[in-house]
Amino acid sequence: MGTAHEAFREFQYPTPPSGRPGGAQAVFHHEWKTEEAKEKLKRTVEAYRQFEQGQMPAGPGADALLASFRAVEKELADHEPGPAKVVTDRQIELLLKKKASVLHLAAANYCWFEDPAKALCLKLAGTRSAAAPLTGLCDSSRCPQATHHLVHGSVWQTTADNGVVLLASPRIPPAEKARLRAEHERSMRILERSIRQPERPNDMALSHQQRNQIERRIRAAIDRLLAGQISPGGACDVKTLAREAGISRASLYRTWGHLKVELEKRRAAAWAAGQQPDPREARIARLRDLNQRLTGKLARTHTELTQLKERDQLLLSVLAAKDDEVQRLCRELSTFASVPDQGQGDDAQGVVPLYRP
């Protein structure tokens, strides 16, 4: 019975010679891979957005990841959008697609598996080549391709809380407590680096004079943008503000967030007062209004054309009916003219028959 059942299952889901699943298993495998790629790209973009807002990743692989993010930021900064084109999430996804393809998601960290030779898990397992990391041997506090982010904070916080409880228990042997103490210290280090210290040391090391100088430069850039003095390819937005002030967008979000908020408030006040400091936005508004008027005019023209077509069909129907009636009357008259009237005598000889084409 079992042999027949296995034969039936093999018939339903044949396995190709290559070893890959076939049939319904292949469909499920493809759908799973597609959804996994979407989730990886989503998590990578999320990490980049946190980088823009000043929340830096932690872990041994943070420097390599930040280098990739800064390269994307530079690529977007060098890109000059057209009059009606802005940087969208789709462009960021395209720039991060290659980086997302090497991401492996774990409960407590992200593994950017770019170089198997650098993977600590493979070294511990005694192998140098593999298509994926060995998650069971992962030590994200030492692996040069592992990073920690905000999404992992709850996992490490739970580990740290459990460590406190276990270390306070008198039932734990001293040797086990030494191991638990090392794990607890590691969890606390990761929490401090990834959650409680989001700013980079370079920004915190600025002197008071340097901070005042940069703040004056940013405020001057805000005044120029709101006055309409915008360089070609720019706009009255945060990206152009960072470029005009000579700082990165990540630094603007991270260190000078109050000036970013000030730009947004003053820009909103100008819009409420009927002003448009950004000539590109004013042009877009004019084009949008023109498009609405042309669309309305086109709709009215279409309605009038439809009415004229209906009237034309009605007139054609009336003309056809009149033509039928004229043809009928002509036939009646021709019939009447072809019948001689015996009772009229000489008067019938003076009747002229109608012309029939």
Side-chain angles (χ1 to χ4, degrees), residues 302-316:
H302 180 72
T303 302
E304 293 175 358
L305 179 61
T306 303
Q307 294 175 351
L308 290 175
K309 287 182 178 180
E310 293 176 352
R311 183 179 178 184
D312 182 63
Q313 292 294 333
L314 179 61
L315 292 176
L316 287 176

Side-chain angles (χ1 to χ4, degrees), residues 32 69 74 80 98 101 106 132 137 172 213 233 334 355:
W32 168 50
F69 285 170
K74 184 177 184 302
E80 296 292 343
K98 182 178 180 181
S101 64
L137 297 177
I172 304 298
Q213 185 179 7
S334 62
Y355 169 73

Side-chain angles (χ1 to χ4, degrees), residues 121-149:
C121 58
L122 299 185
K123 293 180 181 180
L124 296 176
T127 179
R128 292 293 181 179
S129 61
L134 303 176
T135 308
L137 297 177
C138 179
D139 186 357
S140 60
S141 64
R142 295 191 298 150
C143 182
Q145 299 185 127
T147 57
H148 305 118
H149 302 260

Side-chain angles (χ1 to χ4, degrees), residues 31 54 65 75 87 136 192 195 213 265 268 279 306 338:
E31 293 177 352
L65 182 61
E75 180 73 18
V87 176
E192 290 175 359
I195 307 298
Q213 185 179 7
K265 288 183 178 180
T306 303
S338 62

Side-chain angles (χ1 to χ4, degrees), residues 44 47-48 51 57 64-74 96 112:
T44 306
Y48 177 78
F51 159 76
L65 182 61
L66 288 175
S68 300
F69 285 170
R70 292 191 185 102
V72 172
E73 185 181 44
K74 184 177 184 302
L96 293 173
W112 309 92

